[in-house]
Amino acid sequence: MSEQLEGEIDTVMIEQRLFPPTEQFSQQARIKSLAEYQTLYDEARRDPTKFWETQAREHLHWFTPFSETLQWEAPFVKWFVGGKTNASYNCLDAHIAAGRGDRTAIIWEGEPGDERKLTYRQLHSEVCRFANVLKSLGVQTGDVVSIYMPMTPELAIAMLACARLGAVHSVIFAGFSAEAIADRNHDAGAKIQLTSDGLYRRGKVLSLKETVDQALAKSPSVKKCIVLRRVGNDVSMQPGRDFWWHELMEQASDDCPAVPLDSETPLFILYTSGSTGKPKGIRHTTAGYNLYARRTFEWVFDHREDDIYWCTADCGWITGHSYVVYGPMTAGATVLMYEGAPNFPAEDRFWDLIEKYRVTILYTAPTAIRAFIKWGDHHVDKHDLSSLRLLGSVGEGINPEAWMWYHTKIGGGRCPIVDTWWQTETGGIMMSPLPGAIATKPGSCTKPLPGVSPRIVDDNGHDVKRGRGGMLCIDYPWPGMLRGIWGDDQRYRDQYWTKVPGMYLTGDNARQDSDDYYWIMGRIDDVINVSGHRLSTIEVESALVSHPAVAEAAVVGKPDEIKGQAITAFVTLRVEGEVEELRQALKMHVRKEIGALAQPDDIRFTSALPKTRSGKIMRRLLRDIAAGKEQVGDTTTLEDYTVLARLRDDED
Ligand code: PRX
C-alpha cells in the first residue's frame, strides 16, 4: 500500500523527510548503525529473559544476586526475584567504589542565578545525612514520604535518601493545590511531608509551606513535616510537627549504609490522571525500574563521559524521576538542574544556561519549543549553542514545524532529535530513535527500544494492517513497567489489561508506516494533554461540579498554539449570576481543587449540554465548538447547543 493511501485513511499528516545521523555522530555513538540496533533488538526479542538477565547483572550492583529473572502471572510481574539491590547505592556508592566520586553529579542553578555544584561524593554525603534525618523522625522501609518541593538539589537528595532506606517517595509537583496534596497523601497513607518555605517563579516568591499547612490539616496520616529554607519568607512552624531541614541536618551523621532491598521493594508512587476523576498512584519498584531507567538513558541519550546533560523536566513528573535522577545518576552522568521559569529574567534563559555550562544534551518538551518559537529567534541568536550534540523531546507528539525549528535553530542542523514516546506507567522510554543508528522523521518516535514489544490492534485485539491506526499495546513485560496502582489491583486490571486481554493497553492510538516507523496519534480515552501533562477531563469536570453554582460540566481539549491542548469547559448553572464573575470564580475553584495547570482557559455557559438520545454528552460536537469549527453565536452569555445536537444526533 502506498504511503499516500495509508495517509488518507489514518492521518492527514504525511511526513516524508528523513534525517539520517551524520557519519561523525554515528561513528562515536554507542549504537552505530541500524544493523547494530536490529541485532540488539532481535537478541532481546528472541529471548527477553536472557537479555534482561545479562543487562541486570552487568548494570546494577547486587548485594545478593537474583535467582530468577522473570515471574509473569499476568498482569502481575516480578523481575530479578531473590536479588537485593538499592537504587541509591547504584546512583551514588557505586561511582565512589569505582573511583569516580569526584565527578560532578549535579550542576544546579536557581532562578535568581545562584549556583551550586555537587560531586557524586558530596551528593552521597548529603543523601546519607538526610537519610539519617528521616530515620531520626521514625521513617522506615515501606513508609510513604510525600515530597512537595521546588527543583533544588534537595529534591533529588530527598528522593535518593528515601530510596536508600526503602521508604517510598511520592513526589507531588509543586504547582498542585492543597486539596490535590491532601488527596494524594490520603490515598498513599503518607507518614511524613517534605517541603520548602517557598519557591521562586518568574521572579516572584510563592509560599509552599502555606499550601502544605492547608493540605496537612486534611492529611491525618502525616505526623511530621520537614521544611527546607529556600526563599527566606515568613512561615509558621507548628511545634512538634514541623522541623527545619538545616537544623536537623546539622546534627546528622553522613554514615548511612544503603539498605539491601528486595528487587520488588516499592521505590515510588507517582500520581497521574486516568480516565476517571481520581488520579492513580502508579507504583514502581526498585531493581527493574532502576535498570530500565539506566539502560534507556544510555541508549537514547548515547551518554558519554564528557557530556553535560540537561533534562528540563521537574522531578514532580515521571520525566524528572527517570531522566533527571535515576537514569542519569545510575549512569554516573553530570546533570544540570534549573529551578525556574524559561523566561526569567528574559526569554533567553535556556540558551544562556546552555552557553554558560556548555550543555551537550538537551531534553525538553514540545510545548516549551513552541513557546520559544513564539518568543522569537533573536533570543537564540544571542547565544553560542555549539556545545549541543543531541536534542530530545517528550510529553506529547512534536509537530513537524516545531521539530524543524528545533533541528535547525537549536541543533544547528547537526544534532539528532530523539522524540521519545513513553508514559508514567512505562517507567522509561519505550520508543525513540537511537541517535547514531536510526534516521529520524519529524513527528515520529520511530522504533521500539530493545526489549519492547509493541502491537497495534483493533477493538477485537487483532493486529491492524500496516498503515492503519489502532490501539497501541505492549504484549510482553519489560523491567520498567508499573507494578500496579497503589492500593487498587482491580483498577490496575480494568484500566490496562482488560480491553485487550493479555496485553498492556497504553491508552494511545498509533500507526506504523511503510518503513515500520511508529506514529502516535493521540489518546483513546478522555485524557487530554496540556503542555505535555496528562489531565483527565472527568477530573476537571468533578472539580467544576463541586462548586455550588454548577449543575453540570463537560470538559474538552481545544487546539492551542503553545500548550498543544487547552481546556474548554461547558457549564450549566444552578443559579443565575453575573457571567464574568462566575467565570473567574470557577477558574479559581478549579485552581484550588487541582492546581493551576488544570484551570480552564475558556468557560462557556450553556442552558443545556448537547446529549444523544441515550443521554451521553456529545463530546465530539463540543470539541468542534471549542475549536471554532461550529459557529454558535455569542459566547459571553448562555448558549444553547441542543439545536446543533439534534442536527448531529447520530454521534455515539
Ligand atoms: O499520550 C502520550 C503522550 O503522553 C502520555 C504519557 O503522559 P505522562 O504519563 O504524563 O508521561 C509524559 C512523559 C513521558 C502518552 O500516553 N506522549 C508522551 N510522549 C509522547 C507522547 N505522545 C506522542 N509522542 C511522544 N513523544
Side-chain angles (χ1 to χ4, degrees):
M1 190 191 277
S2 79
E3 185 71 3
Q4 214 62 34
L5 269 175
E6 290 168 21
E8 270 173 24
I9 297 160
D10 289 308
T11 174
V12 288
M13 193 180 73
I14 300 157
E15 182 56 64
Q16 304 278 21
R17 285 171 289 194
L18 195 67
F19 293 83
T22 62
E23 221 169 278
Q24 195 199 359
F25 193 100
S26 292
Q27 270 167 11
Q28 296 178 13
R30 282 171 182 258
I31 298 167
K32 296 179 170 43
S33 64
L34 189 58
E36 214 179 300
Y37 156 78
Q38 203 60 51
T39 305
L40 195 65
Y41 189 81
D42 293 345
E43 181 198 329
R45 192 174 184 85
R46 255 193 318 275
D47 190 347
T49 311
K50 180 89 200 120
F51 176 78
W52 289 117
E53 179 190 330
T54 311
Q55 294 290 325
R57 291 207 197 288
E58 288 176 4
H59 299 285
L60 291 183
H61 167 83
W62 294 97
F63 296 100
T64 308
F66 54 93
S67 50
E68 195 181 351
T69 303
L70 171 67
Q71 274 181 13
W72 176 224
E73 282 169 38
F76 296 100
V77 74
K78 287 183 181 164
W79 283 95
F80 314 123
V81 181
K84 286 190 194 294
T85 184
N86 184 296
S88 180
Y89 185 99
N90 292 319
C91 287
L92 303 168
D93 308 55
H95 305 308
I96 296 170
R100 295 149 46 89
D102 294 327
R103 271 179 66 80
T104 305
I106 297 178
I107 303 170
W108 176 81
E109 189 164 303
E111 196 184 74
D114 38 346
E115 288 171 38
R116 279 163 70 191
K117 277 189 187 171
L118 290 161
T119 63
Y120 274 95
R121 194 185 312 285
Q122 289 165 330
L123 184 61
H124 174 264
S125 159
E126 293 291 302
V127 168
C128 288
R129 285 168 67 206
F130 195 65
N132 278 329
V133 164
L134 291 175
K135 270 204 258 182
S136 73
L137 293 188
V139 174
Q140 296 174 350
T141 303
D143 286 344
V144 176
V145 177
S146 171
I147 305 180
Y148 185 74
M149 290 175 71
M151 271 298 275
T152 51
E154 282 73 13
L155 174 48
I157 289 166
M159 291 164 73
L160 291 167
C162 290
R164 204 160 183 85
L165 303 176
V168 187
H169 56 72
S170 164
V171 184
I172 302 169
F173 173 63
F176 278 109
S177 68
E179 292 293 331
I181 304 170
D183 282 351
R184 285 158 175 74
N185 283 350
H186 174 71
D187 186 82
K191 192 168 169 183
I192 182 165
Q193 181 75 57
L194 314 182
T195 190
S196 72
D197 50 0
L199 60 73
Y200 292 107
R201 197 70 191 170
R202 240 163 255 124
K204 290 203 192 93
V205 165
L206 304 182
S207 170
L208 291 194
K209 179 62 167 50
E210 229 174 86
T211 308
V212 162
D213 284 339
Q214 291 164 19
L216 294 192
K218 293 184 184 172
S219 305
S221 62
V222 177
K223 305 288 183 216
K224 301 269 194 289
C225 175
I226 304 179
V227 187
L228 174 76
R229 196 189 279 300
R230 168 63 191 132
V231 296
N233 57 344
D234 278 342
V235 296
S236 73
M237 298 288 279
Q238 188 175 307
R241 187 194 72 181
D242 299 347
F243 303 85
W244 284 109
W245 181 296
H246 59 273
E247 287 178 5
L248 297 175
M249 283 290 262
E250 264 167 32
Q251 301 144 23
S253 134
D254 68 357
D255 179 19
C256 183
V259 178
L261 298 167
D262 281 335
S263 294
E264 286 297 335
T265 306
L267 178 62
F268 65 85
I269 317 171
L270 189 57
Y271 284 86
T272 186
S273 295
S275 49
T276 70
K278 190 174 170 292
K280 308 173 274 197
I282 302 299
R283 184 161 58 87
H284 282 286
T285 58
T286 299
Y289 169 82
N290 196 181
L291 176 71
Y292 198 71
R294 173 182 187 160
R295 294 308 282 150
T296 52
F297 170 76
E298 290 172 327
W299 288 327
V300 173
F301 297 105
D302 187 44
H303 176 249
R304 294 205 311 240
E305 282 286 309
D306 54 353
D307 276 319
I308 307 288
Y309 161 85
W310 184 22
C311 166
T312 66
D314 190 287
C315 287
W317 311 109
I318 189 67
T319 308
H321 282 59
S322 303
Y323 299 110
V324 175
V325 180
Y326 291 108
M329 291 189 187
T330 307
T334 298
V335 176
L336 174 67
M337 249 175 123
Y338 168 59
E339 178 187 37
N343 54 352
F344 185 84
E347 281 73 10
D348 66 341
R349 186 66 182 270
F350 272 27
W351 321 127
D352 181 56
L353 286 160
I354 289 170
E355 180 174 11
K356 181 167 172 189
Y357 296 108
R358 307 298 295 155
V359 171
T360 59
I361 304 172
L362 172 68
Y363 189 28
T364 193
T367 183
I369 297 166
R370 291 191 297 263
F372 298 137
I373 296 173
K374 194 169 171 209
W375 291 338
D377 287 3
H378 56 287
H379 294 295
V380 185
D381 294 337
K382 276 193 252 169
H383 297 280
D384 171 12
L385 304 183
S386 61
S387 56
L388 287 171
R389 67 178 194 93
L390 179 60
L391 304 173
S393 168
V394 64
E396 61 182 302
I398 174 165
N399 45 310
E401 297 75 15
W403 196 102
M404 286 309 298
W405 184 86
Y406 199 29
H407 178 69
T408 48
K409 197 72 209 164
I410 306 306
R414 71 184 177 278
C415 305
I417 297 180
V418 288
D419 174 355
T420 61
W421 175 84
W422 59 296
Q423 312 177 292
T424 305
E425 291 86 342
T426 68
I429 297 167
M430 300 291 276
M431 295 206 249
S432 167
L434 296 184
I438 297 176
T440 51
K441 295 185 189 183
S444 167
C445 57
T446 74
K447 289 174 181 276
L449 297 192
V452 173
S453 176
R455 297 269 290 274
I456 301 177
V457 301
D458 62 20
D459 282 346
N460 300 316
H462 299 134
D463 293 306
V464 300
K465 284 211 186 89
R466 165 107 62 72
R468 305 251 170 180
M471 296 183 289
L472 178 63
C473 295
I474 312 289
D475 72 2
Y476 198 80
W478 66 103
M481 71 185 264
L482 77 164
R483 299 301 193 263
I485 294 177
W486 191 259
D488 201 343
D489 283 351
Q490 194 52 45
R491 192 171 174 200
Y492 171 63
R493 286 177 195 279
D494 293 348
Q495 187 98 48
Y496 302 108
W497 299 95
T498 305
K499 191 160 181 173
V500 184
M503 293 191 213
Y504 166 77
L505 181 75
T506 67
D508 282 339
N509 274 320
R511 68 185 263 272
Q512 237 184 327
D513 70 13
S514 47
D515 293 327
D516 284 345
Y517 277 37
Y518 286 84
W519 298 79
I520 304 296
M521 298 164 65
R523 300 284 305 185
I524 61 173
D525 51 19
D526 290 325
V527 169
I528 51 179
N529 190 321
V530 179
S531 302
H533 301 308
R534 258 157 75 168
L535 276 172
S536 141
T537 53
I538 299 167
E539 203 178 333
V540 183
E541 286 162 7
S542 310
L544 283 165
V545 294
S546 72
H547 189 282
V550 175
E552 201 174 19
V555 164
V556 296
K558 89 165 182 197
D560 183 274
E561 207 189 322
I562 303 291
K563 300 181 191 179
Q565 284 184 297
I567 298 174
T568 297
F570 294 86
V571 169
T572 62
L573 294 169
R574 281 179 200 285
V575 291
E576 304 230 327
E578 210 283 306
V579 167
E580 209 34 58
E581 243 170 54
L582 264 174
R583 199 170 267 144
Q584 281 318 313
L586 291 183
K587 286 185 179 180
M588 289 320 291
H589 183 70
V590 175
R591 223 174 219 271
K592 183 177 142 284
E593 291 294 308
I594 306 176
L597 77 165
Q599 179 181 308
D601 280 56
D602 196 7
I603 295 184
R604 300 173 69 159
F605 296 110
T606 166
S607 52
L609 289 170
K611 292 185 183 166
T612 59
R613 271 181 219 126
S614 63
K616 260 178 97 177
I617 294 174
M618 298 170 74
R619 285 172 187 280
R620 195 145 39 99
L621 171 59
L622 291 178
R623 276 196 291 272
D624 287 349
I625 295 169
K629 287 190 202 152
E630 298 269 4
Q631 290 309 319
V632 275
D634 183 2
T635 59
T636 55
T637 51
L638 282 193
E639 298 166 290
D640 184 352
Y641 307 118
T642 46
V643 183
L644 278 175
R646 277 196 291 278
L647 290 173
R648 288 176 50 165
D649 209 10
D650 55 333
E651 191 165 333
D652 57 15

